[in-house]
Amino acid sequence: MSLSAAMKTAQSSFSNVGLQSAVASKNIANASNPNYARRAAILATASSGATVVETQRAQNEALLKQNLLSISKSSGQDTLLAGLTQMKMMMGGEDYELAPSTYLAKLRDNLQTFADKPSEVSLAETVVSDAIDVANSLNSTSNALQKLRAEADADINTAVVELNRLLKEFKTYNDKVRQGTAAGTDVNDALDQRDKLLTGISAIIGVTTVNRTNNDLALYTSDGTVLFETVPRTVSFQPSTTFTAAVDGNQVLIDGVPVQAGAGGNTSAQGSIPALLQVRDYVAPIFQKQLDEIARGVIEVFSEGGMEGLFISNGLPAVTDPGLAAVIKVNPDVISSEGGNPTKLRDGINAVYNTDNNASFSELLNGYAAAFEAPMPFDPDASIETTTTILSFSTSSVGWLEEIRSAATTAGGDKAALLGRTQEALLNVTAVSLDEELALLLDLEQSYKASAKLVAAVDEMIAALLQAAG
């Protein structure tokens, strides 16, 4: 090897070590950054020895796509479970002590006691108090349910605003990647930012990616709607100002196509928006329908001669109207604090049935108790039994909520575990290992020392030649 060739080799080695050290240093500096993919300086053989030809970014497209899918599914499941848990808390939590079914069971028991001892005015007061508890439970649960729908609607609006922001930012970095790839410049930092944005987008809406020329990405929702193709598509939503049982929420539109809500306890929703739509438009309205049917049922159970008796619909034109549970109340004619007489429950509210003013008269009370045990029809839209007793229907309503919540809880654990495994697999490919980077720096140090020795040897040889020539 000539001295000039040796010097070129040493120079090439110094250059490579410098570039490799810079890459390793950047890796170490970003070791704790979850959005950073490990870099590697790639060497190739040249006339003067090995040379760094590119800085390669660690990636695995299949794992990235699986990770995005897992994020979407887990986000959707968590969002649904949060809504179902909030619905459970409306009724007292684990024991459902504030549920209408709990108060109805107590009303039934005390009504039977009153029917056995109709002369006890204190028992009449107790039954009226229990009836007020039933009405209050239906009112408060219905109002809380509509508040939950309003909160879901507001969350949808927040998610849509965030999605539009992310898509706009995604265009910025996608353009950098596309233009940089075409020009042959380093686009690794832009790729990191683009993948970070993809993670945020997938938590809001299920997304699939299609890689095109020059690393250009096109994005589609899990339903196949175009989300981004060179430019972001418009995601639009008009939030509702108020929510009642009769109010339907507005659709979320992506490029004019409605986003489909999730379905089932193990929800099909990918991302928070489809899950929020499921809570607002399906789960909560079905439960509201159940509450309305309970309210209708107790009005009928305590009806008197075809007229509303102990429970009244408070001016609602028809007991089948949405939102009956929010307005049902106890007839003030039997409430002492409102100037009523609780013994009217025994003797008759709309007409006097106990014409002899007999303290042991129990015909009406026994009729109410029998009606409690008699099957009655319920609306199929409530998604539980269509013919059963009022108490059984109210209990089944709790069972329906608990069943879907239990399924959502199990699915949430499964999807979280899958997400954890997917993220771990992806990190194994892309994450920085400090041990490996420090070991590489030690190897680079040895390469630097070897190159320095080569330069020193060449220097000695040139000095010797000059001395001999002199």
Side-chain angles (χ1 to χ4, degrees):
M1 176 186 294
S2 67
L3 292 180
S4 61
M7 285 299 295
K8 288 181 179 179
T9 299
Q11 288 174 343
S12 176
S13 177
F14 283 136
S15 176
N16 291 340
V17 168
L19 291 172
Q20 288 176 293
S21 297
V23 171
S25 298
K26 187 171 184 177
N27 286 340
I28 292 171
N30 287 277
S32 60
N33 183 356
N35 301 305
Y36 177 86
R38 186 181 70 253
R39 315 285 201 260
I42 305 302
L43 299 174
T45 303
S47 58
S48 58
T51 184
V52 174
V53 293
E54 68 171 322
T55 302
Q56 196 172 78
R57 177 176 177 268
Q59 58 185 349
N60 185 307
E61 187 174 347
L63 282 176
L64 176 61
K65 288 184 175 182
Q66 182 59 49
N67 188 55
L68 295 176
L69 178 61
S70 297
I71 290 172
S72 294
K73 288 184 174 182
S74 185
S75 174
Q77 194 67 54
D78 289 346
T79 301
L80 173 64
L81 181 57
L84 292 170
T85 301
Q86 194 170 340
M87 289 169 63
K88 181 175 182 176
M89 297 307 296
M90 295 173 190
M91 295 184 291
E94 290 299 326
D95 297 327
Y96 288 94
E97 62 267 21
L98 302 180
S101 59
T102 302
Y103 292 114
L104 271 174
K106 186 179 177 183
L107 173 61
R108 188 269 316 269
D109 293 343
N110 287 329
L111 175 66
Q112 187 62 63
T113 302
F114 183 33
D116 294 338
K117 298 179 180 179
S119 61
E120 297 285 343
V121 177
S122 61
L123 292 178
E125 293 274 12
T126 299
V127 171
V128 171
S129 177
D130 292 339
I132 292 173
D133 287 341
V134 170
N136 288 341
S137 175
L138 289 167
N139 297 162
S140 61
T141 305
S142 180
N143 291 333
L145 199 59
Q146 295 311 314
K147 182 181 178 183
L148 172 63
R149 293 184 69 214
E151 290 172 352
D153 194 74
D155 289 343
I156 290 170
N157 187 54
T158 300
V160 167
V161 171
E162 177 65 5
L163 180 56
N164 280 314
R165 185 193 69 80
L166 290 172
L167 289 172
K168 182 179 180 181
E169 192 172 351
F170 182 87
K171 181 183 185 307
T172 299
Y173 287 101
N174 188 65
D175 287 346
K176 289 182 179 180
V177 169
R178 179 170 51 81
Q179 294 164 5
T181 302
T185 58
D186 188 346
V187 296
N188 289 327
D189 289 342
L191 284 169
D192 281 348
Q193 290 300 317
R194 192 174 72 173
D195 284 356
K196 177 184 177 181
L197 292 169
L198 275 176
T199 299
I201 292 169
S202 64
I204 297 173
I205 191 77
V207 61
T208 58
T209 62
V210 176
N211 205 327
R212 306 190 297 184
T213 305
N214 291 325
N215 271 330
D216 181 30
L217 274 190
L219 306 182
Y220 301 86
T221 69
S222 54
D223 296 328
T225 304
V226 178
L227 189 61
F228 179 93
E229 199 173 59
T230 307
V231 295
R233 296 300 194 259
T234 301
V235 184
S236 59
F237 174 69
Q238 182 61 46
S240 300
T241 54
T242 58
F243 268 91
T244 67
V247 172
D248 294 326
N250 294 316
Q251 293 178 321
V252 177
L253 301 176
I254 298 178
D255 205 21
V257 179
V259 175
Q260 299 300 311
N266 181 3
T267 183
S268 59
Q270 293 185 22
S272 60
I273 288 179
L276 288 167
L277 289 171
Q278 182 180 0
V279 171
R280 188 196 68 179
D281 298 340
Y282 291 92
V283 178
I286 288 174
F287 193 58
Q288 178 67 57
K289 185 63 177 178
Q290 293 170 4
L291 294 175
D292 290 342
E293 284 294 280
I294 293 172
R296 179 185 64 81
V298 296
I299 288 175
E300 291 186 12
V301 164
F302 287 94
S303 62
E304 185 183 291
M307 301 176 65
E308 293 179 348
L310 177 61
F311 291 95
I312 60 176
S313 56
N314 200 25
L316 211 61
V319 295
T320 56
D321 281 2
L324 178 60
V327 299
I328 187 175
K329 69 175 186 178
V330 174
N331 196 322
D333 289 344
V334 297
I335 303 176
S336 299
S337 62
E338 297 185 25
N341 182 0
T343 59
K344 282 188 175 183
L345 183 61
R346 177 195 68 190
D347 301 333
I349 298 174
N350 299 305
V352 178
Y353 289 84
N354 184 13
T355 55
D356 296 331
N357 199 25
N358 187 346
S360 62
F361 181 78
S362 60
E363 181 179 335
L364 281 177
L365 297 176
N366 286 327
Y368 298 145
F372 248 106
E373 306 303 327
M376 60 191 302
F378 292 96
D379 194 327
D381 289 343
S383 299
I384 45 181
E385 295 100 327
T386 55
T387 304
T388 186
T389 65
I390 181 63
L391 192 55
S392 176
F393 183 88
S394 64
T395 302
S396 295
S397 176
V398 170
W400 174 86
L401 177 58
E402 188 57 30
E403 181 180 5
I404 190 173
R405 194 192 68 82
S406 177
T409 301
T410 301
D414 293 342
K415 291 175 182 179
L418 177 60
L419 174 59
R421 290 195 296 270
T422 304
Q423 288 179 330
E424 182 180 1
L426 183 60
L427 287 174
N428 285 339
V429 174
T430 63
V432 174
S433 168
L434 285 177
D435 290 341
E436 291 180 5
E437 298 302 322
L438 292 174
L440 175 61
L441 284 178
L442 289 175
D443 290 340
L444 292 174
E445 182 183 4
Q446 297 304 316
S447 296
Y448 179 85
K449 288 180 178 178
S451 298
K453 287 182 178 180
L454 177 59
V455 170
V458 171
D459 181 63
E460 289 178 5
M461 294 175 67
I462 291 175
L465 285 173
L466 290 173
Q467 185 177 4

